[in-house]
Amino acid sequence: MPISRVDTVSIPVSDQSLALQFYRDALGFELIRDHQGDSHKRWIQLAPKGAETTISLVMPFGGMRAGSVQGLVVHTDDMTSTYDELTNRGVSLSEIVTLIGGRFATFSDPDGNGWVLIEANATMQA
């Protein structure tokens, strides 16, 4: 099959500069590209350090609404320290829940795009 991986996930946001601050400064994602094509087109691409899949912070297009992406999952090896660090950076997380052999907490970006932070133990499998 010619499709080999998920490359980039578009995250629809209402303010790209505000979203960039959240993903870069609060979540610690690395900025890969911030390209201003013209006054209406800006390409912002980020990723967690070492990640293969990236996100792009886009103005809504093609029926998208800012805040409409839900359930994207990011992984941590240490839920407690990551939870504490993100909280200290101003990220509002849910309580940590233990379920199906892993620990989970949820959070949203400034537009309401929803994320799940997960720490899976060795026995948890999708």
Side-chain angles (χ1 to χ4, degrees):
M1 177 158 184
I3 297 174
S4 61
R5 66 186 172 102
V6 174
D7 184 76
T8 304
V9 176
S10 294
I11 307 295
V13 299
S14 60
D15 181 324
Q16 288 176 299
S17 295
L18 179 65
L20 173 59
Q21 285 181 307
F22 177 79
Y23 284 95
R24 182 191 58 210
D25 302 339
L27 295 185
F29 284 21
E30 293 183 330
L31 180 62
I32 296 168
R33 187 170 295 111
D34 185 353
H35 177 74
Q36 185 76 45
D38 62 30
S39 62
H40 301 291
K41 294 182 181 163
R42 183 177 179 191
W43 180 259
I44 302 173
Q45 188 174 10
L46 303 104
K49 184 176 180 142
E52 185 174 320
T53 301
T54 66
I55 64 168
S56 62
L57 305 177
V58 299
M59 296 305 291
F61 65 91
M64 290 179 172
R65 290 182 335 275
S68 63
V69 173
Q70 300 296 314
L72 291 174
V73 179
V74 289
H75 180 267
T76 181
D77 291 326
D78 184 345
M79 175 64 81
T80 302
S81 68
T82 302
Y83 188 97
D84 291 344
E85 184 174 341
L86 291 177
T87 299
N88 289 335
R89 292 180 181 181
V91 178
S92 178
L93 292 108
S94 70
E95 291 184 28
I96 297 171
V97 175
T98 301
L99 185 67
I100 318 170
R103 298 171 68 197
F104 304 83
T106 60
F107 64 92
S108 296
D109 73 7
D111 283 297
N113 292 298
W115 292 79
V116 180
L117 177 66
I118 182 174
E119 175 195 73
N121 68 29
T123 62
M124 183 179 185
Q125 296 184 11

